[in-house]
Amino acid sequence: MIKIYDTKARTKREFVPVHEGKVGMYVCGPTVYNYIHIGNARTFISFDTVRRYLMWRGYEVTFVQNVTDVDDKIIAKAAEEGRTPAEVAKEYTDAFIEDMHAAGVLDPDIRPRATEEINTMIALVEKLIEKGHAYVVDGDVYFAVRSYKHYGELSNRNVDEMESGHRELRADGQGLEDRKRDPLDFALWKAAKPGEPSWESPWGQGRPGWHIECSAMSEKYLGLPFDIHGGGADLAFPHHENERAQSEAACDCTFANYWMHGGMLQINSEKMSKSLGNFLLLRDVLKTTEASVLRMLMLQTHYRSPLDFSDERLCEASSALCRITNFIKNAQWLCQNAQDGETTFDMALLQRDVAAMREAFIEAMDDDFNTAGALGAIFSFIGEANTYMTNASLNAADSAALQESVQSVIELVGVLGISVEAECTDVCECSAALLALAHDVAGYDGSEGEAAIQCLLDCRAQARSDKNFAVADQIRDGLNDLGYLIEDTPQGARVSRK
Ligand code: AMP
Ligand code: ZN
């Protein structure tokens, strides 16, 4: 049974989809006026993982993600750069899609663009006016917040306490507050200002507000109610509160059954954001970091918790990924070097551990997508398996069973979207130390951890045959200090992580 923490209920709830075996998911997409930063990426990676897990559990998932391609920030950027808003939006939409691919995030099933769905939004605004939930002032249309009696329930706010705090600023700085009947009301449709992108509407030329976009698109592509609505925690209020108000007021039904919000990615305990200027672009981070390492870092923290990004965490994630790739390599090495003799460890025990890993993985993920727990299950299996495999030999007949355990690990990390195909390149300080050792003792000049180790092993073999035991020992001890264990086997020396 899958349980999801629902922001509105403020507790975990058993997941029961609207249509058996199917899941409709909507995750707010980016406003395309800049490259996305790794904070945005965290949210998208979290929901990609949720989606992948639900698919693996057998659900047919329909994943919808909008692109906000008309917005004040896009218009401002275009004016700054002497381009049209459409050009700016196109550039950063393409870049966003490219970045998501590079980060290993699956394409949504449907990616509606706001500018292509204006009529759907207009129809929804008309319906709200008809039902008395919205009103027109000089070409603007506002949602009457107090006409929807559940306003504030999602983000746990009391309407009467909100009044003074929540003020909407008009892009041109004009007195929006005077136009609204109630300061809490927000814009569904904004009258056009000269030079801005605008569309014909029953209220004159104008453009939609941000919130109405998601209400219109989610209903159009998923129907109401749909199962899961997601986004970063900063969207819960006002964006999601407003989406919910609009949609539920219009349809007199539930909008989304489960509201999921991801925690913020922080740098030095401060939220990473474009407006604070303390952001790292995803594309820059991916220039020096494998997508799988970044994903490992993200998934080592529960999606709802804040996540502190640092080089140190990146280093830990890289080592963690290396533990997985090293396990796979060691197991495959044993399979390739299988002998006629007895397997030196209990294969039934290994198989029992695989089953336990799978069970613990599912248990963790079923519990509100606890990816840290799921990874813990995989690592504890790898720890056991490494113990079995140390100084072991394998009977050829047992190869298939060992291979299966490897496949299980690859499958489960794959469910989390972590690919283990890439060579393990450890970005840690220890890898700098490894390269230094390989350079100083064995004359290695490259920058690949694996190649450095091989060079050290070759050098050690040569030293041993030359009876230069001082060098041979220096290499063994040096690797040992860095956390590597050398084993001498009839097939030659092997290195594993301690
Ligand atoms: P935006 O383009 O600002 O609307 O953001 C797109 C998505 O990224 C939204 O779901 C935001 O909640 C999310 N987001 C923005 N900043 C962060 C952050 N520092 N950490 C996690 N998610 C974020
Ligand atoms: Zn939205």
Side-chain angles (χ1 to χ4, degrees):
M1 176 180 76
I2 296 177
K3 281 188 167 176
I4 297 182
Y5 183 91
D6 176 17
T7 307
K8 181 171 156 287
R10 292 188 285 288
T11 184
K12 288 180 200 168
R13 292 172 48 222
E14 179 184 349
F15 179 61
V16 183
V18 178
H19 303 289
E20 205 184 324
K22 296 187 176 174
V23 179
M25 249 180 115
Y26 185 92
V27 175
C28 300
T31 304
V32 282
Y33 69 102
N34 202 340
Y35 297 118
I36 62 160
H37 58 63
I38 54 170
N40 305 132
R42 182 197 187 192
T43 293
F44 299 137
I45 286 173
S46 295
F47 286 102
D48 182 58
T49 309
V50 168
R51 174 193 190 183
R52 286 172 186 261
Y53 182 67
L54 291 171
M55 284 161 66
W56 185 70
R57 290 286 259 132
Y59 289 102
E60 192 187 308
V61 180
T62 305
F63 189 99
V64 181
Q65 179 166 65
N66 65 311
V67 171
T68 301
D69 59 355
V70 56
D71 177 85
D72 291 341
K73 294 186 211 110
I74 300 172
I75 296 169
K77 175 109 176 178
E80 223 172 82
E81 298 183 350
R83 296 197 282 166
T84 65
E87 280 165 355
V88 170
K90 163 121 184 42
E91 176 184 350
Y92 293 110
T93 303
D94 292 350
F96 168 66
I97 293 172
E98 205 178 284
D99 286 354
M100 287 289 91
H101 289 170
V105 172
L106 300 174
D107 277 328
D109 297 298
I110 304 161
R111 194 188 325 261
R113 269 101 164 142
T115 53
E116 292 169 10
E117 308 277 350
I118 303 289
N119 288 340
T120 319
M121 296 180 219
I122 290 177
L124 186 54
V125 175
E126 279 186 305
K127 193 165 174 190
L128 285 168
I129 296 173
E130 255 165 50
K131 295 185 81 169
H133 290 292
Y135 55 93
V136 187
V137 183
D138 285 346
D140 286 345
V141 185
Y142 297 103
F143 182 83
V145 164
R146 284 178 199 276
S147 74
Y148 169 67
K149 65 176 189 298
H150 301 291
Y151 194 81
E153 280 176 6
L154 170 62
S155 57
N156 198 18
R157 281 170 165 81
N158 183 320
V159 176
D160 295 318
E161 287 165 12
M162 269 189 292
E163 205 148 357
S164 55
H166 174 57
R167 301 211 154 229
E168 193 169 349
L169 292 173
R170 215 176 132 95
D172 61 5
Q174 280 175 20
L176 182 81
E177 300 306 319
D178 310 334
R179 301 155 72 91
K180 295 197 280 188
R181 287 182 195 161
D182 183 322
L184 290 185
D185 297 350
F186 57 88
L188 297 171
W189 185 264
K190 304 178 184 180
K193 286 194 239 66
E196 280 187 2
S198 66
W199 290 263
E200 191 52 54
S201 82
W203 320 288
Q205 286 288 123
R207 62 187 166 98
W210 172 35
H211 316 301
I212 197 72
E213 180 188 325
C214 291
S215 283
M217 295 188 196
S218 52
E219 178 175 3
K220 174 168 174 186
Y221 293 106
L222 294 171
L224 299 188
F226 60 91
D227 297 298
I228 299 174
H229 194 317
D234 58 337
L235 295 192
F237 184 86
H239 183 52
H240 289 165
E241 193 70 69
N242 291 355
E243 278 186 36
R244 174 173 183 258
Q246 296 160 160
S247 294
E248 298 203 346
C251 76
D252 290 319
C253 67
T254 301
F255 176 44
N257 279 336
Y258 300 84
W259 286 93
M260 293 180 68
H261 289 103
M264 293 291 107
L265 184 142
Q266 310 177 324
I267 283 203
N268 302 325
S269 305
E270 217 180 28
K271 180 191 162 191
M272 177 179 289
S273 78
K274 291 173 195 165
S275 49
L276 289 173
N278 61 346
F279 57 87
L280 287 173
L281 297 181
L282 174 62
R283 52 178 52 208
D284 288 341
V285 170
L286 289 181
K287 278 182 196 151
T288 49
T289 305
E290 289 284 342
S292 284
V293 171
L294 182 63
R295 194 154 181 136
M296 175 68 80
L297 181 156
M298 305 248 179
L299 300 186
Q300 280 172 332
T301 300
H302 189 271
Y303 79 89
R304 276 191 289 119
S305 306
L307 185 153
D308 257 311
F309 184 85
S310 64
D311 285 344
E312 207 176 19
R313 298 273 334 259
L314 214 46
C315 166
E316 283 164 20
S318 155
S319 298
L321 196 66
C322 282
R323 267 189 87 195
I324 301 175
T325 41
N326 285 334
F327 155 74
I328 295 170
K329 279 203 189 125
N330 285 339
Q332 283 170 343
W333 186 91
L334 268 181
C335 289
Q336 278 151 17
N337 292 282
Q339 314 265 310
D340 288 340
E342 286 236 329
T343 298
T344 50
F345 58 92
D346 187 343
M347 205 35 95
L349 221 51
L350 180 91
Q351 285 170 318
R352 196 200 59 192
D353 290 341
V354 172
M357 164 179 68
R358 296 183 74 92
E359 206 174 296
F361 177 91
I362 292 173
E363 197 180 316
M365 289 299 283
D366 274 3
D367 182 13
D368 192 31
F369 311 100
N370 178 2
T371 51
L375 283 166
I378 295 170
F379 285 122
S380 88
F381 167 74
I382 288 177
E384 290 294 328
N386 282 345
T387 322
Y388 301 149
M389 293 195 305
T390 306
N391 290 320
S393 50
L394 187 74
N395 180 285
D398 286 327
S399 291
L402 187 56
Q403 267 303 338
E404 259 174 48
S405 76
V406 168
Q407 283 316 319
S408 242
V409 167
I410 294 176
E411 177 191 354
L412 298 186
V413 294
V415 172
L416 302 177
I418 295 174
S419 147
V420 283
E421 275 158 21
E423 277 293 303
C424 153
T425 42
D426 206 320
V427 296
C428 303
E429 270 170 39
C430 63
S431 113
L434 171 66
L435 295 178
L437 178 73
H439 177 268
D440 295 348
V441 185
Y444 176 73
D445 270 337
S447 59
E448 286 288 320
E450 298 261 326
I453 290 176
Q454 195 51 53
C455 184
L456 283 165
L457 290 182
D458 294 346
C459 180
R460 177 169 170 269
Q462 186 62 45
R464 279 160 60 119
S465 88
D466 295 346
K467 304 222 175 317
N468 187 349
F469 295 114
V471 169
D473 287 351
Q474 189 187 356
I475 292 173
R476 192 200 51 222
D477 295 344
L479 281 173
N480 200 53
D481 289 346
L482 294 173
Y484 297 95
L485 202 65
I486 301 188
E487 281 173 58
D488 289 303
T489 75
Q491 288 79 28
R494 295 175 58 203
V495 164
S496 53
R497 280 278 201 182
K498 280 196 283 192

